[in-house]
Amino acid sequence: MFKKFIPFAHANSIYDLPVDFFKSIGVKYVLTDLDNTLDSYRLMKPKQKAIDFINNLRDNGITPIIISNNKGKRVKSYATALGVDFIWGAKKPFAKNILAFINSKSIDKNDTILIGDQLITDVWCGHNAGIRVIWTNKLVKEDQWTTHINRKFEFIIKKYHYKHGNIREWSDCYGNKD
């Protein structure tokens, strides 16, 4: 039950994930959600923590890409400040826009991981795209109003998966590409 909502692994925060973890599982591309994964949905520009994280990925040969359901103006402003490619209006959990993007860039799905804070949009999207997903806790308490609806359903799914031992922590996955 709810298999499409089981992530490859869980992390408290994207900022808990060291670069050597990505290298150990063969990741060359990190597709990261923006809202409540990298920063609050209210920010147009990244905080220093996000800048440092993205720069660390790049400095270690990993290409970061922002994937967001949010509007173009905000995502473009944020991604441009980081100097990364992005997809706005991604329509997660549907994978069509993400697959079109990675195919246009000749990105191998096996070299890619998606990171996001929602089971219903990010994890499901990763399954639909055939990409591993790291599911994180949300960074800040506040959410957009539409996300509140998802969180109510997510609570039920999350409770089920924890009860049945379906969620493993990222630290248990070093070197495990499955």
Side-chain angles (χ1 to χ4, degrees), residues 57-106:
L57 289 176
R58 265 198 299 254
D59 291 348
N60 283 278
I62 298 171
T63 303
I65 302 162
I66 293 177
I67 308 296
S68 179
N69 284 349
N70 212 315
K71 296 178 182 171
K73 182 179 178 183
R74 172 163 181 275
V75 178
K76 182 177 181 180
S77 172
Y78 194 97
T80 300
L82 289 172
V84 299
D85 280 337
F86 60 93
I87 299 173
W88 63 273
K91 298 181 181 166
K92 298 177 288 181
F94 306 106
K96 181 180 177 181
N97 291 347
I98 291 171
L99 290 172
F101 177 86
I102 65 174
N103 289 334
S104 74
K105 302 283 186 179
S106 300

Side-chain angles (χ1 to χ4, degrees), residues 77-140:
S77 172
Y78 194 97
T80 300
L82 289 172
V84 299
D85 280 337
F86 60 93
I87 299 173
W88 63 273
K91 298 181 181 166
K92 298 177 288 181
F94 306 106
K96 181 180 177 181
N97 291 347
I98 291 171
L99 290 172
F101 177 86
I102 65 174
N103 289 334
S104 74
K105 302 283 186 179
S106 300
I107 295 172
D108 186 338
K109 292 189 287 187
N110 295 317
D111 298 337
T112 306
I113 201 152
L114 191 152
I115 304 172
D117 67 297
Q118 291 187 62
L119 292 172
I120 291 177
T121 56
D122 302 309
V123 174
W124 191 5
C125 180
H127 279 279
N128 287 338
I131 297 170
R132 293 171 290 176
V133 183
I134 302 286
W135 171 54
T136 65
N137 297 345
K138 63 183 190 171
L139 280 182
V140 296

Side-chain angles (χ1 to χ4, degrees), residues 137-154:
N137 297 345
K138 63 183 190 171
L139 280 182
V140 296
K141 187 176 181 176
E142 63 187 0
D143 272 319
Q144 292 181 21
W145 71 270
T146 53
T147 305
H148 285 285
I149 298 165
N150 286 349
R151 299 267 188 220
K152 290 183 188 303
F153 292 108
E154 183 176 275

